[in-house]
């Protein structure tokens, strides 16, 4: 039986490791705010059976961060014997026996303890091979050896007969049963238990260690019903052996055995009720009521209740809801019914004279009132709680912040004081990637929601996002709010904290905002406004350098090809454009664009057409299919997903950041970056400029090239529209879209005699497909 259990633990361990194939392992609480600490239950030994999704047994952050923990039940029992010893000394003597210093431990009882531990160490070393039963290492398998069972049994019996101390004698019986069990002498072990142990030693922790071994023997002999019964006893009454007993019971239950034929009385009913509830994952209200009817004061009622409460939390307090239609709390009709039922249980337990741990139930009542948005009752109940100081303070702070219906300077001061008190300084840190106190992150969610509702977009944004995230967004309204926040007089400490929420960069907060506003205007064909924003900046440094080839165009496609092999058109090098330097800053780019726009209105047609030509090239090149996509933001042009939208949002809702913010969609802006719009529509401007060239020009070679660029603009529109359809639909309609291209039609019908046509029909497979199929 123990071999099977060991194998199961290996499987569990492997399955948990398999979850690590992503960027991080999932953990319990990753997707919801856990405000009511599950370890508030009074029975610490039942912590492993609290609610968990990603591990077989529950582990709190505090538990997992503790130093190596030794079996507490066993240590406590030893302390009853070695009353003058420190817990540390007991742990070292028992679990590090070979290195423990016994020189000053020489009383009669200490000598007896040393003798026992020496024998226990001998047994442990004898059976150490069992750790390698499922090893993949051949040498480990070879190391398994037979051992002298008779000699060990003789020693154990000798010690049992000689030892006068009842606890030590019980421990020798444990070693005896262990020897018999591991030697597959299962029936002999059962006889020893029935004849010499059961009813003759105290039912303390070592008794349940023995019972766990005997239950394994019953299982090995095929008496699954008796094994199941014993495993329920070990599970419910041992401090240390609960996990293994629970797994062992599961093996029995899977075969249809639960030990009921051996049950006798309420205690047995309670034991079965609990382990079945955990085994069946039946976190039902009815189970709690059954348990209360049997014994309202049993601490295991708290465990069952806590599991259900935590189950409810997972739906009520979702993390990172951002611009979705969820709220905090997020309650539907089914949850409302569950909350009401849990509240009635908590109130009933708090008022039950038989229940001693009143504070737990009053605290739970307060929290459930809060979930149900009854803040007055929640606060009144919380005042009655005399213990749980940390949890009580956390709930008090949460209740305060969730009582606000708007943010003002007074509330900002209160919030700042609360954050400082809790040494919290991680605004704009993802709750998924960095572990932070859930309750503070949820309160900040609430505060961001209030700012969002009262149109203070900059504050709503900066609570969850660094300033630099605006580099990926398209909302000018958000940038305007940033400017207003910076220019506000008498800013609160919290507002100053928000303004400081940016990475190290050469720009100040306001210069970064002006720079983003200027880039926005460049994308929106307004270089004059861009110049106004650039001129507001005090920082002269621009780490982004742009090549004059941004005014060229290409017939070959390849984002990773060297620019000189792609951008071969050299009209921008004409003497009329001598003001365009080989490389320039974004501010100088705006200046170049302003001069080109002015040149569009020159009295000479050839100047007008060439100015339009360069402007068309520029706006196509910065589109999401252009070679210089991302250049204005200093980003690489590589990566489809970096430049095309993934439309996985509902069709009837605003999808992208600007329209989301304009419509005030969602709860707050925590995940607004996920909704950035990568389709900048600059090809619309390019198309207009190329059409102007054709209108002004009589140069057939230039016009032919412009019709080809217009075809590329059409293709840009198709790619961005097709991205909203399924991939298969996109492929099936692509050929049809090419054949219906108006620009290809004009190029083929009107410019077939040009050198450009002769070149492009060889160079471009799309145009060649068009000519061959029309």
């Amino acid at each position: 039986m123990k071999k099977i259990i060991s194998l199961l633990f290996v499987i569990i361990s492997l399955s948990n490791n398999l979850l690590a194939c992503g960027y991080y392992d999932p953990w319990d609480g990753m997707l919801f705010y856990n405000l009511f600490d599950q370890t508030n239950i009074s029975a610490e030994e039942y912590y492993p059976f609290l609610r968990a999704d990603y591990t077989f047994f529950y582990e709190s952050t505090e538990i997992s961060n503790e130093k190596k923990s030794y079996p507490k039940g066993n240590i406590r029992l030893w302390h009853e014997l070695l009353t003058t010893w420190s817990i540390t000394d007991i742990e070292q003597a028992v679990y590090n026996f070979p290195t423990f210093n016994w020189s000053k431990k020489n009383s009669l009882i200490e000598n007896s303890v040393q003798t026992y531990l020496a024998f226990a160490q001998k047994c442990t070393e004898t059976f150490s091979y069992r750790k390698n039963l499922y090893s993949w290492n051949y040498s480990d398998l070879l190391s398994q050896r037979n051992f002298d069972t008779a000699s060990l049994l003789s020693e154990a019996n000798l010690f049992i007969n000689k030892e006068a101390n009842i606890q030590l004698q019980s421990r020798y019986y444990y070693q005896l049963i262990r020897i018999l069990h591991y030697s597959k002498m299962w029936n002999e072990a059962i006889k020893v238990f029935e004849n010499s142990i059961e009813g003759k030693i105290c039912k303390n922790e070592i008794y349940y260690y023995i019972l766990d071994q005997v239950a394994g023997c019953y299982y090995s002999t095929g008496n699954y019903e008796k094994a199941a019964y014993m495993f329920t006893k070990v599970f419910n009454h041992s401090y240390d052996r609960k996990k293994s007993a629970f797994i062992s019971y599961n093996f029995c239950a899977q075969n249809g055995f639960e030990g009921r034929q051996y049950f006798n009385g309420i205690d047995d009913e309670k034991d079965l009720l609990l382990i079945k509830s955990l085994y069946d994952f039946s976190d039902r209200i009815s189970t709690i009521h059954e348990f209360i009817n049997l014994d309202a004061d049993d601490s295991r009622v708290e465990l069952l209740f806590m599991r259900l409460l935590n189950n409810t939390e997972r739906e009520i307090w979702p993390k990172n809801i951002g611009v979705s239609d969820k709220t905090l709390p997020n309650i539907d009709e089914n949850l409302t019914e569950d909350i009401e039922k849990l509240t009635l249980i908590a109130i009933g337990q708090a008022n039950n004279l038989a229940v001693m741990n009143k504070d737990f139930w009053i605290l739970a009542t307060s929290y459930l009132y809060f979930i149900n948005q009854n803040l007055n009752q929640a606060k009144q109940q919380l005042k009655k709680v005399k213990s749980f100081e940390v949890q009580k303070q956390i709930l008090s702070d949460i209740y305060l912040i969730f009582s606000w219906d708007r943010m003002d300077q007074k509330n900002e001061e209160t919030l700042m004081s609360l954050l400082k008190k809790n040494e919290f300084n991680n605004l704009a840190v993802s709750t998924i990637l960095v572990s932070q106190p859930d309750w503070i992150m949820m309160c900040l969610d609430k505060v961001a929601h209030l700012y969002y509702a009262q149109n203070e977009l900059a504050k709503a944004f900066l609570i969850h996002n660094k300033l630099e995230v605006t580099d990926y967004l398209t909302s000018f309204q958000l940038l305007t709010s940033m400017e207003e926040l910076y220019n506000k007089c008498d800013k609160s400490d919290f507002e100053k904290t928000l303004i400081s929420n940016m990475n190290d960069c050469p720009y100040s907060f306001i210069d970064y905002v002006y720079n983003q506003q200027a880039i926005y205007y460049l994308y929106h064909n307004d270089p004059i406004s861009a110049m106004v924003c650039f001129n507001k900046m005090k920082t002269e440094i621009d780490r982004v350098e742009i090549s004059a080839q941004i005014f060229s165009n290409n017939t070959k496609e390849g984002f990773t090809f060297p620019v000189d092999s792609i951008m071969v058109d050299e009209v921008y090098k004409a003497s009329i454009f001598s003001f365009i330097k080989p490389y320039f800053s974004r501010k100088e780019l705006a200046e170049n664009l302003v001069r080109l726009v002015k040149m569009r209105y020159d009295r000479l047609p050839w100047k007008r057409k060439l100015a339009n030509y360069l402007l068309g090239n520029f706006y196509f090149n910065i589109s999401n299919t252009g070679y210089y996509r991302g250049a204005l933001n200093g980003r690489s042009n590589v990566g489809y997903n970096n430049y095309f939208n993934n439309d996985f949002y509902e069709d009837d809702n605003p999808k992208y950041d600007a329209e989301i913010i304009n419509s005030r969609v969602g709860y707050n802006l925590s995940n607004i970056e996920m909704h950035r719009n990568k389709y900048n529509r600059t090809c619309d401007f390019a198309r207009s400029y190329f059409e102007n060239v054709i209108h002004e020009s009589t140069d057939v070679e230039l016009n032919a090239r412009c019709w080809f660029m217009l075809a590329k603009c059409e293709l840009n529109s198709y790619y961005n529209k097709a991205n909203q359809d399924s991939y298969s639909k996109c492929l099936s309609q692509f050929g049809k879209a090419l054949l219906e291209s108006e620009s290809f039609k004009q190029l083929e019908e009107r410019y077939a005699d040009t050198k450009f046509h002769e070149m492009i029909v060889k160079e471009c497979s799309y145009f060649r497909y068009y000519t061959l199929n029309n």
Side-chain angles (χ1 to χ4, degrees):
M1 180 63 193
K2 295 298 178 183
K3 294 180 182 179
I4 298 174
I5 293 171
S6 298
L7 180 59
L8 181 60
F9 274 124
V10 169
I11 294 169
I12 293 167
S13 175
L14 286 173
S15 65
N16 286 337
N17 289 334
L18 288 174
L19 294 172
C21 61
Y23 291 106
Y24 49 83
D25 290 349
W27 69 91
D28 214 53
M30 180 175 70
L31 301 177
F32 74 100
Y33 291 119
N34 178 207
L35 307 183
F36 199 83
D37 190 348
Q38 290 198 77
T39 60
N40 284 333
I41 65 171
S42 57
E44 182 181 348
E45 64 270 27
Y46 284 104
Y47 284 179
F49 303 95
L50 292 166
R51 183 74 164 79
D53 276 343
Y54 298 106
T55 55
F56 197 76
F57 295 110
Y58 172 85
E59 287 186 6
S60 70
T61 304
E62 293 76 12
I63 293 172
S64 59
N65 288 338
E66 283 181 358
K67 65 178 183 179
K68 182 178 179 180
S69 178
Y70 295 102
K72 292 183 178 180
N74 189 32
I75 296 299
R76 288 172 184 170
L77 187 59
W78 275 115
H79 199 243
E80 292 177 15
L81 191 63
L82 303 170
T83 55
T84 61
W85 284 35
S86 69
I87 294 297
T88 300
D89 276 353
I90 292 173
E91 290 173 343
Q92 293 304 309
V94 175
Y95 294 102
N96 294 289
F97 177 79
T99 61
F100 186 73
N101 184 0
W102 289 89
S103 61
K104 296 182 180 180
K105 311 290 186 182
N106 47 26
S107 69
L108 185 61
I109 190 64
E110 288 170 335
N111 288 335
S112 297
V113 168
Q114 184 178 6
T115 301
Y116 166 76
L117 289 175
F119 179 67
Q121 179 69 22
K122 182 177 181 180
C123 292
T124 297
E125 291 173 358
T126 300
F127 301 125
S128 62
Y129 74 89
R130 294 175 59 81
K131 296 178 182 178
N132 300 323
L133 285 176
Y134 304 101
S135 173
W136 293 99
N137 190 321
Y138 185 61
S139 62
D140 287 342
L141 296 175
L142 289 177
S143 69
Q144 298 176 24
R145 56 185 174 79
N146 295 323
F147 52 89
D148 188 352
T149 302
S151 176
L152 276 178
L153 290 173
S154 177
E155 281 189 77
N157 281 307
L158 182 64
F159 284 128
I160 288 170
N161 293 329
K162 287 175 57 178
E163 184 56 62
N165 182 274
I166 295 175
Q167 185 186 140
L168 289 177
Q169 188 181 66
S170 299
R171 290 183 179 277
Y172 280 118
Y173 270 122
Y174 168 65
Q175 298 300 337
L176 177 64
I177 295 294
R178 192 159 71 125
I179 296 166
L180 293 170
H181 183 192
Y182 294 163
S183 304
K184 299 184 180 180
M185 300 170 69
W186 303 311
N187 288 317
E188 289 84 346
I190 292 169
K191 287 178 182 177
V192 170
F193 176 75
E194 292 176 344
N195 296 331
S196 303
I197 299 174
E198 180 67 342
K200 295 181 176 62
I201 69 171
C202 296
K203 290 187 177 182
N204 52 25
E205 187 67 22
I206 201 64
Y207 168 81
Y208 291 105
Y209 273 46
I210 295 171
L211 199 63
D212 193 29
Q213 293 283 335
V214 174
C217 292
Y218 274 113
Y219 187 93
S220 297
T221 60
N223 191 341
Y224 303 127
E225 187 74 9
K226 186 65 178 256
Y229 173 73
M230 286 189 166
F231 284 132
T232 64
K233 298 290 105 181
V234 177
F235 172 77
N236 282 281
H237 301 287
S238 168
Y239 194 102
D240 300 334
R241 312 294 288 187
K242 290 189 184 299
K243 290 182 180 180
S244 65
F246 177 70
I247 293 174
S248 299
Y249 174 83
N250 287 351
F251 279 104
C252 299
Q254 286 169 7
N255 291 316
F257 301 94
E258 57 183 32
R260 183 173 289 278
Q261 77 176 67
Y262 295 97
F263 284 10
N264 181 23
I266 291 178
D267 285 341
D268 285 346
E269 288 294 331
K270 291 191 297 180
D271 291 348
L272 179 62
L273 188 61
L274 177 65
I275 201 167
K276 279 190 65 178
S277 175
L278 299 177
Y279 166 69
D280 293 335
F281 300 100
S282 56
D283 293 321
R284 297 190 302 262
I285 295 286
S286 59
T287 304
I288 298 177
H289 284 299
E290 286 182 58
F291 217 112
I292 290 173
N293 290 336
L294 292 171
D295 185 356
D297 192 41
D298 194 306
S299 62
R300 290 171 290 183
V301 177
E302 296 172 15
L303 170 65
L304 294 174
F305 178 86
M306 182 60 76
R307 286 172 61 88
L308 262 179
L309 179 57
N310 187 260
N311 218 28
T312 306
E313 270 194 319
R314 291 161 191 267
E315 302 295 329
I316 292 172
W317 304 120
K319 285 182 177 178
N320 303 296
I321 59 177
V323 300
S324 72
D325 57 2
K326 295 180 180 180
T327 62
L328 295 176
N330 188 54
I331 303 176
D332 58 23
E333 291 182 6
N334 292 331
L335 282 174
T336 299
E337 184 178 351
D338 290 342
I339 293 165
E340 290 175 354
K341 290 178 179 178
L342 287 172
T343 305
L344 289 174
I345 290 174
I347 293 172
Q349 287 290 91
N351 294 327
N352 192 326
L353 297 177
V355 175
M356 296 293 102
N357 189 17
K358 300 287 188 186
D359 269 7
F360 172 83
W361 295 106
I362 298 172
L363 187 70
T365 302
S366 170
Y367 180 58
L368 285 161
Y369 276 133
F370 165 64
I371 287 176
N372 218 19
Q373 302 181 70
N374 189 340
L375 268 172
N376 289 332
Q377 280 283 10
K379 291 177 181 178
Q380 288 179 24
Q381 292 297 318
L382 193 62
K383 289 178 182 177
K384 299 177 184 179
V385 178
K386 298 174 183 177
S387 54
F388 298 100
E389 292 183 9
V390 174
Q391 178 73 86
K392 184 178 178 181
Q393 184 59 57
I394 288 172
L395 291 181
S396 178
D397 291 335
I398 294 172
Y399 295 174
L400 172 64
I401 290 176
F402 271 74
S403 69
W404 297 342
D405 57 8
R406 66 173 290 104
M407 289 300 294
D408 53 28
Q409 188 165 352
K410 180 182 177 183
N411 288 343
E412 286 177 348
E413 290 172 357
T414 301
L415 176 63
M416 195 66 191
S417 175
L418 186 150
L419 294 177
K420 287 180 178 178
K421 181 180 70 174
N422 289 278
E423 299 179 351
F424 182 87
N425 57 0
N426 276 307
L427 289 172
V429 173
S430 166
T431 55
I432 286 184
L433 299 181
V434 178
S435 177
Q436 296 294 342
D438 270 8
W439 70 274
I440 291 183
M441 297 307 295
M442 193 185 81
C443 286
L444 290 175
D445 259 357
K446 170 68 173 180
V447 169
H449 168 68
L450 294 175
Y451 281 135
Y452 192 39
Q454 61 198 49
N455 203 33
E456 295 189 68
L457 299 177
K459 296 182 186 180
F461 176 84
L462 289 168
I463 282 178
H464 292 102
N465 304 276
K466 295 286 186 185
L467 173 64
E468 287 79 4
V469 172
T470 58
D471 190 48
Y472 297 92
L473 304 181
T474 60
S475 171
F476 195 80
Q477 194 175 154
L478 176 60
L479 294 173
T480 301
S481 181
M482 295 284 187
E483 184 179 4
E484 291 171 352
L485 173 61
Y486 182 84
N487 291 325
K488 179 184 176 183
C489 298
D490 301 322
K491 287 185 279 290
S492 69
D493 287 345
F494 187 66
E495 289 170 329
K496 292 175 183 176
T497 299
L498 291 175
I499 287 174
S500 68
N501 196 13
M502 58 187 296
N503 296 317
D504 292 334
C505 74
Y507 299 134
S508 65
F509 181 94
I510 192 60
D511 272 3
Y512 195 93
V513 172
Y514 289 147
N515 189 62
Q516 290 306 116
Q517 289 177 340
I519 293 171
Y520 173 91
Y521 283 124
L522 289 177
Y523 276 118
H524 286 77
N525 196 21
D526 189 354
I528 294 176
S529 295
M531 280 297 303
V532 172
C533 294
F534 281 131
N535 287 332
K536 289 180 181 179
M537 295 173 63
K538 295 180 180 179
T539 306
E540 295 294 333
I541 300 172
D542 190 348
R543 292 181 177 177
V544 175
E545 186 177 63
I546 298 173
S547 168
Q549 287 168 300
I550 201 168
F551 291 111
S552 179
N553 62 48
N554 59 302
T555 54
K556 293 181 179 179
E557 301 296 336
F559 292 106
T560 59
F561 291 172
V563 63
D564 290 337
S565 67
I566 291 291
M567 310 303 286
V568 295
D569 182 82
E570 295 187 341
V571 172
Y572 70 94
K573 290 183 177 181
S575 59
I576 189 177
F577 303 124
S578 59
F579 58 87
I580 300 177
K581 297 185 292 187
Y583 295 95
F584 40 80
S585 68
R586 286 174 290 195
K587 181 179 178 180
E588 290 169 326
L589 169 63
E591 292 170 350
N592 292 337
L593 292 172
V594 169
R595 294 187 68 170
L596 288 173
V597 169
K598 183 179 179 181
M599 195 179 291
R600 290 183 64 230
Y601 302 100
D602 193 277
R603 63 183 181 83
L604 298 175
W606 68 273
K607 288 188 177 180
R608 296 198 298 267
K609 73 176 183 182
L610 293 182
N612 277 302
Y613 182 64
L614 262 62
L615 287 167
N617 287 341
F618 168 76
Y619 282 106
F620 177 81
N621 284 333
I622 65 171
S623 74
N624 60 347
T625 55
Y627 187 86
Y628 281 95
R629 60 187 185 182
L632 300 190
N633 302 90
R635 291 196 286 269
S636 164
N637 65 1
V638 177
Y640 175 89
N641 289 329
N642 293 327
Y643 292 100
F644 283 88
N645 295 319
N646 296 308
D647 288 341
F648 50 85
Y649 310 111
E650 295 296 331
D651 290 338
D652 57 349
N653 289 332
K655 299 175 182 179
Y656 304 118
D657 60 287
E659 56 184 328
I660 285 171
I661 290 173
N662 291 343
S663 304
R664 299 299 182 272
V665 171
Y667 189 73
N668 59 38
L669 298 175
S670 64
N671 64 347
I672 191 66
E673 186 182 359
M674 293 176 60
H675 297 259
R676 57 183 169 131
N677 190 355
K678 304 167 192 174
Y679 179 29
N680 54 34
R681 297 182 181 275
T682 58
C683 272
D684 293 348
F685 305 130
R687 183 181 293 109
S688 176
Y689 286 123
F690 288 129
E691 288 171 349
N692 285 335
V693 174
I694 294 169
H695 177 72
E696 296 274 3
S697 174
T698 58
D699 184 337
V700 292
E701 293 294 339
L702 180 63
N703 289 357
R705 183 176 283 268
C706 285
W707 278 115
F708 179 73
M709 293 305 296
L710 284 169
K712 292 177 72 171
C713 290
E714 288 178 2
L715 198 58
N716 175 276
S717 297
Y718 175 79
Y719 283 151
N720 284 284
K721 179 182 181 299
N723 191 62
Q724 300 171 24
D725 298 326
S726 69
Y727 185 67
S728 58
K729 183 179 179 182
C730 174
L731 288 178
S732 66
Q733 295 182 349
F734 184 63
K736 181 181 178 182
L738 287 178
L739 295 177
E740 292 177 351
S741 169
E742 178 63 26
S743 300
F744 278 169
K745 178 182 179 182
Q746 292 293 328
L747 180 58
E748 174 65 11
E749 291 181 355
R750 296 173 59 185
Y751 299 94
D753 295 333
T754 62
K755 292 181 180 179
F756 181 82
H757 182 282
E758 182 182 356
M759 178 273 294
I760 203 64
V761 78
K762 299 175 183 177
E763 190 75 40
C764 178
S765 60
Y766 291 172
F767 184 55
R768 188 163 58 252
Y769 176 87
Y770 177 87
T771 60
L772 294 174
N773 290 277
N774 269 297

